[in-house]
Amino acid sequence: MTIIQTKSSTTNKVLNYPLNTWYVAAWDHEVTRTLISRTVADKPLAIYRTEDGRPVALADACWHRLAPLSQGKLLAKDEIQCPYHGIVYNSAGRCVSMPAQETINPSATVPSYPVVERHRFLWVWLGDATLANPDTIPDMHQMDHPDWAGDGLTIPVTCNYQLVLDNLMDLTHEEFVHGSSIGQAELSESDFEVTHDDTTVTVSRWMHNIDAPPFWLKNMRDKFSGYSGKVDRWQIIHFEAPSTINIDVGVAKAGTGAPEGDRSQGVNGYVMNTITPETARSAHYFWAFMRNYRLESQLITSQLRAGVSGVFKEDEDMLMAQQAAIDANPDYEFYNLNIDAGGLWVRRLIERMLEAEGRMATAK
Amino acid sequence: MAATNIEVWQQATVIETAAVATNIQRIVLAPASPKRAEPGSHLDLFVTIDGERRKRSYSVVDSTEDGSRVAISVLRAPLSRGGSIFMHGLQPGDTLEVTQPLQNFPLRVGAPSYVLLAGGIGVTAIVNMARVLKNLGANYTFVYAARSRERMAYLPELLALHGDNLQVHIDDEGTALSVADLVGSIDPSAELYMCGPIRLMDAVRRAWTERELNHPNLRFETFGNSGWYDPEEFLVRIPRLGVEARVPAGRSLLEALEDAGVEMMFDCRKGECGLCEVTVLALHGAIDNRDVFYSERQQQAAAKMCCCVSRAVTSRTGLEADAAAGGPAIVTIDVS
Ligand SMILES: Cc1cc2nc3c(=O)[nH]c(=O)nc-3n(C[C@H](O)[C@H](O)[C@H](O)COP(=O)(O)OP(=O)(O)OC[C@H]3O[C@@H](n4cnc5c(N)ncnc54)[C@H](O)[C@@H]3O)c2cc1C
Ligand code: FES
Ligand code: FES
Ligand SMILES: [Fe+2]
């Protein structure tokens, strides 16, 4: 396919989202025998679990008069009843009972979307169901691998999902947004390297022989009690299209070989992020912080979740302010800097997906 | 279906026409605002009959990925009011008003196995589904039944594509389909998608119910234009309104009532929704139920009928000897 690149094609301020892809709709523990309503990619979904434990995502609008099924009732097996006139559907979205007549109208169906439970999340496919291949779910294996422990939360952000991706692909903002926890001047000063292929982008940054910022000093001391020396710090940002970013982060005692591959004298975490577009101007930001040391400590899990939560609150405030300023200044364009290289590759990969679907890159 | 069936009208140009079986014409259209056609989808379009614009529906047989070329295939209906004859007259370069693809017959991906059943022209609604299932590597059987080989559209192509997955049944070659065998041998977890004459579909529904198979797994689309009997002219009376009208063979009861100035309620006009229901007060002859709205019990009770498709006929058996004395059939009704 030939792609015509224009400057504006990689600087859309409000990017559309691909549909032929998997998005996280919920944490696995949110999907229960109590219905929830959640909008993914502008499609309202009614999400629940069947009696035998299978997750289901139906369009949250009854075939009859569009009443929200999420306000309905779960019946036996896999069935759900519309709250308005009582039509019952099964998990395939097919009507199994129309209370007011003896037959079932052959077109009485609501869309039932392919779902897969993986990496502690419920993934949903809203595009062409014939293309839905679970093998293309992004790798987030640290979420439930025995070598890793941790937890996370969901942030409802009122900005276009792409702004969150931009934020995570360029961590020089940490010095300014997260000055009290993980930010430090060396982030902006050190060099970084960007690579990409058809579906992934990687941005790597190493900072050698620096002071550990407060967050990392605490983590080092959780493993190496009382540690106070210099560290080598790394951030390796792995993007997997269209909206998952896992960041390999950590510090190790300076000069103990971490850059060469021996991380035994350090602490390593993975910041797992997957961003689900909700509307053109809002997203569900699912994240978790996973670590591979002190796996037994629930205290550390809770402390890390609280700490990262505080850091991400700072991002959320900035992203909301940025989206508001974008909308208040429709005549101004973005300007791209060298530090935006990772984010721009991300945009280009997403635009390819949009082109393949025959969809426009810009959302309204 | 929820929000996916909004009619978006556009111009389409006829690109190509070709006969693909006796009385079946393939028509390839280039719509002005293309949209991908999912398996099971159809287009609504306007035909012109005696200078009047009438809406007809045609299943998408195949299309390009982006929907810029959409093929339909039209059977010249034996007792046509003129829609299919109009379609057969189309030539490359002609333009039509058509909708973007509409979907009332969605294929669900992920069933353990599938049976696709096409009767006659109903194959148009099935061809695309079969192709998708083949591409997905799904476990499927495609059953294609018709009265004679010359009337079977796309048979050579389908045989080439589906090989052993395609079972062909042809009445006049002595290989007629046995519905009892078909439904009797079906895996209980299979989904069956069918489109064909109402007789065939009624028989399958009955066998399905008898075997107590899961009803939501039986998927079908009605073309809304076939019955158990050939249409005959009959009389309709509405005593309350003092109306008596003739219903010619080429017109529906609903149309005849509308012609007579009776204000009627309706929606689908193909026997699905039940909005055109009329109450039967008296009957001379029998009712040819062509709807899928009433249960068998309700159809047998003959207290109500869907006037958009169902008709009165003189004989319940179709045999002259059983015909009600002094035909034509007369149905006395009341309307809402
Ligand atoms: C979703 C859908 C998809 C369809 N797809 C196709 C397709 O792919 N190919 C195709 O050829 N057709 C298809 N049809 C049928 C098509 O829309 C037309 O009904 C068909 O072409 C006949 O139209 P006509 O005007 O020529 O004939 P009509 O006058 O409508 O007559 C056609 C048949 O209807 C019966 N009939 C005649 N008069 C009446 C009457 N007054 N009341 C009730 N029944 C009567 C007769 O049995 C006659 O043979 C589809 C219909 C639907 C609803
Ligand atoms: S709106 Fe759901 S049954 Fe009427
Ligand atoms: S109008 Fe829908 S059944 Fe007659
Ligand atoms: Fe941040």
Side-chain angles (χ1 to χ4, degrees):
Chain A
M1 186 200 324
T2 49
I3 307 228
I4 298 154
Q5 301 294 352
T6 65
K7 177 171 181 288
S8 68
S9 84
T10 45
T11 51
N12 282 303
K13 292 175 289 183
V14 184
L15 202 76
N16 209 344
Y17 42 73
L19 286 176
N20 287 334
T21 190
W22 297 99
Y23 289 116
V24 170
W27 287 85
D28 54 5
H29 62 78
E30 294 181 281
V31 184
T32 66
R33 292 288 290 158
T34 302
L35 278 156
I36 58 170
S37 158
R38 187 151 295 164
T39 295
V40 173
D42 283 309
K43 288 223 172 25
L45 304 174
I47 298 173
Y48 65 99
R49 231 177 249 286
T50 63
E51 236 172 32
D52 60 7
R54 280 182 304 118
V56 181
L58 300 180
D60 194 11
C62 179
W63 165 82
H64 175 222
R65 280 289 188 265
L66 308 186
L69 294 177
S70 59
Q71 292 177 24
K73 204 158 74 187
L74 295 183
L75 306 181
K77 295 179 294 190
D78 62 342
E79 296 175 358
I80 174 173
Q81 182 165 44
C82 174
Y84 204 179
H85 314 101
I87 287 183
V88 180
Y89 301 93
N90 66 13
S91 55
R94 281 166 185 174
C95 177
V96 296
S97 152
M98 299 186 83
Q101 64 184 64
E102 289 187 16
T103 52
I104 291 172
N105 187 303
S107 55
T109 53
V110 292
S112 174
Y113 298 100
V115 287
V116 173
E117 230 171 336
R118 191 171 293 174
H119 312 316
R120 290 165 62 184
F121 292 122
L122 180 72
W123 301 80
V124 62
W125 179 284
L126 298 170
D128 177 355
T130 61
L131 303 174
N133 175 0
D135 296 345
T136 63
I137 289 176
D139 176 14
M140 299 185 83
H141 72 271
Q142 292 86 351
M143 292 298 295
D144 53 3
H145 192 281
D147 292 348
W148 297 86
D151 208 353
L153 290 167
T154 312
I155 307 171
V157 274
T158 49
C159 69
N160 183 256
Y161 78 110
Q162 184 62 48
L163 298 185
V164 186
L165 300 181
D166 286 344
N167 169 285
L168 291 165
M169 292 307 288
D170 166 34
L171 298 180
T172 60
H173 77 266
E174 288 184 0
E175 180 184 348
F176 307 98
V177 178
H178 311 306
S180 67
S181 54
I182 52 176
Q184 57 188 159
E186 288 88 344
L187 281 160
S188 307
E189 290 159 7
S190 59
D191 238 358
F192 64 96
E193 191 184 292
V194 183
T195 59
H196 80 277
D197 61 26
D198 285 346
T199 56
T200 70
V201 180
T202 303
V203 178
S204 318
R205 172 181 270 118
W206 279 90
M207 290 147 276
H208 301 279
N209 201 31
I210 60 170
D211 289 325
F215 176 85
W216 284 113
L217 189 59
K218 184 268 175 217
N219 295 343
M220 271 303 268
R221 287 177 175 169
D222 280 342
K223 183 169 173 186
F224 305 101
S225 175
Y227 185 75
S228 64
K230 297 269 183 192
V231 295
D232 293 332
R233 179 179 179 187
W234 68 90
Q235 291 175 327
I236 302 168
I237 308 168
H238 296 283
F239 164 83
E240 197 171 333
S243 57
T244 296
I245 297 179
N246 300 320
I247 313 179
D248 174 5
V249 290
V251 298
K253 294 175 186 171
T256 57
E260 292 74 36
D262 177 6
R263 292 178 177 183
S264 62
Q265 297 306 302
V267 285
N268 185 190
Y270 255 84
V271 197
M272 317 296 294
N273 309 275
T274 185
I275 322 300
T276 299
E278 179 185 38
T279 66
R281 277 183 182 64
S282 61
H284 308 289
Y285 177 176
F286 297 91
W287 66 267
F289 189 93
M290 305 304 294
R291 67 178 189 284
N292 66 357
Y293 59 93
R294 298 288 311 274
L295 301 183
E296 84 297 346
S297 172
Q298 178 60 42
L299 174 65
I300 293 177
T301 295
S302 300
Q303 285 172 337
L304 283 171
R305 189 181 50 197
V308 175
S309 198
V311 171
F312 283 175
K313 179 75 177 73
E314 296 169 334
D315 288 308
E316 184 191 340
D317 291 345
M318 175 51 68
L319 290 166
M320 282 165 55
Q322 183 192 13
Q323 182 71 63
I326 287 171
D327 289 337
N329 295 282
D331 301 336
Y332 292 173
E333 293 298 332
F334 281 172
Y335 194 92
N336 297 322
L337 293 172
N338 169 273
I339 56 168
D340 299 315
L344 287 173
W345 276 112
V346 165
R347 287 165 172 267
R348 198 171 281 179
L349 297 193
I350 292 174
E351 277 161 6
R352 273 181 203 165
M353 295 176 78
L354 288 167
E355 279 216 10
E357 291 179 21
R359 287 155 59 79
M360 302 289 286
T362 318
K364 275 177 266 114
Chain B
M1 181 203 309
T4 57
N5 248 352
I6 294 165
E7 291 179 12
V8 179
W9 288 91
Q10 58 179 333
Q11 287 285 122
T13 308
V14 176
I15 296 295
E16 194 185 306
T17 63
V20 286
T22 305
N23 288 331
I24 302 179
Q25 186 85 341
R26 174 183 166 91
I27 301 163
V28 181
L29 300 169
S33 323
K35 189 182 155 220
R36 216 180 81 87
E38 288 172 20
S41 59
H42 66 272
L43 308 178
D44 279 359
L45 52 78
F46 278 109
V47 297
T48 309
I49 305 175
D50 300 332
E52 258 185 82
R53 276 155 40 98
R54 296 272 177 171
K55 206 150 84 169
R56 292 289 184 268
S57 305
Y58 295 99
S59 302
V60 175
V61 177
D62 53 73
S63 67
T64 53
E65 188 57 35
D66 59 358
S68 59
R69 293 286 182 280
V70 185
I72 57 175
S73 304
V74 179
L75 171 70
R76 186 198 302 267
L79 296 154
S80 171
R81 287 165 284 190
S84 53
I85 294 168
F86 169 88
M87 294 301 293
H88 275 239
L90 289 172
Q91 296 297 329
D94 289 350
T95 59
L96 280 178
E97 263 176 280
V98 311
T99 61
Q100 288 183 341
L102 300 171
Q103 177 61 285
N104 273 331
F105 192 34
L107 174 71
R108 184 173 80 98
V109 176
S113 66
Y114 298 84
V115 176
L116 306 177
L117 171 58
I121 189 63
V123 75
T124 54
I126 301 293
V127 169
N128 218 354
M129 289 191 176
R131 183 182 305 112
V132 167
L133 291 180
K134 155 118 190 148
N135 290 344
L136 283 173
N139 176 358
Y140 72 100
T141 308
F142 182 171
V143 181
Y144 186 6
R147 274 182 279 171
S148 68
R149 195 171 282 271
E150 317 79 67
R151 301 190 202 199
M152 297 179 82
Y154 303 111
L155 188 55
E157 294 93 321
L158 293 174
L159 281 167
L161 183 62
H162 299 289
D164 288 347
N165 287 332
L166 182 65
Q167 286 176 18
V168 179
H169 295 277
I170 304 176
D171 296 0
D172 70 5
E173 296 182 8
T175 57
L177 172 71
S178 155
V179 168
D181 290 353
L182 176 71
V183 178
S185 66
I186 228 164
D187 185 297
S189 66
E191 295 190 352
L192 190 151
Y193 291 75
M194 66 175 171
C195 185
I198 199 93
R199 277 172 190 250
L200 173 65
M201 300 212 290
D202 276 353
V204 172
R205 275 205 306 272
R206 197 167 302 143
W208 200 266
T209 307
E210 271 162 23
R211 250 199 88 189
E212 294 179 357
L213 292 168
N214 194 1
H215 258 281
N217 286 351
L218 179 59
R219 315 304 305 166
F220 55 92
E221 179 156 78
T222 58
F223 283 179
N225 63 351
S226 72
W228 282 80
Y229 311 109
D230 282 346
E232 322 168 349
E233 176 167 313
F234 63 100
L235 284 181
V236 57
R237 293 189 180 134
I238 311 178
R240 187 170 60 80
L241 303 178
V243 168
E244 172 165 323
R246 274 179 344 108
V247 186
R251 236 157 154 66
S252 69
L253 176 50
L254 175 58
E255 288 166 338
L257 292 171
E258 287 169 337
D259 292 347
V262 183
E263 194 182 351
M264 296 297 296
M265 183 52 68
F266 60 88
D267 186 20
C268 71
R269 294 186 91 104
K270 56 176 185 164
E272 284 185 5
C273 70
L275 269 171
C276 63
E277 170 173 279
V278 298
T279 306
V280 178
L281 304 174
L283 184 62
H284 176 69
I287 294 178
D288 181 7
N289 285 297
R290 297 173 166 220
D291 65 278
V292 293
F293 173 73
Y294 294 118
S295 65
E296 227 178 308
R297 184 194 70 76
Q298 290 170 311
Q299 290 188 344
Q300 262 153 22
K304 296 183 168 182
M305 65 192 282
C306 286
C307 70
C308 65
V309 289
S310 298
R311 311 179 61 84
V313 289
T314 44
S315 146
R316 188 168 266 294
T317 56
L319 294 174
E320 197 66 38
D322 296 327
I330 305 168
V331 61
T332 307
I333 62 168
D334 203 358
V335 297
S336 64

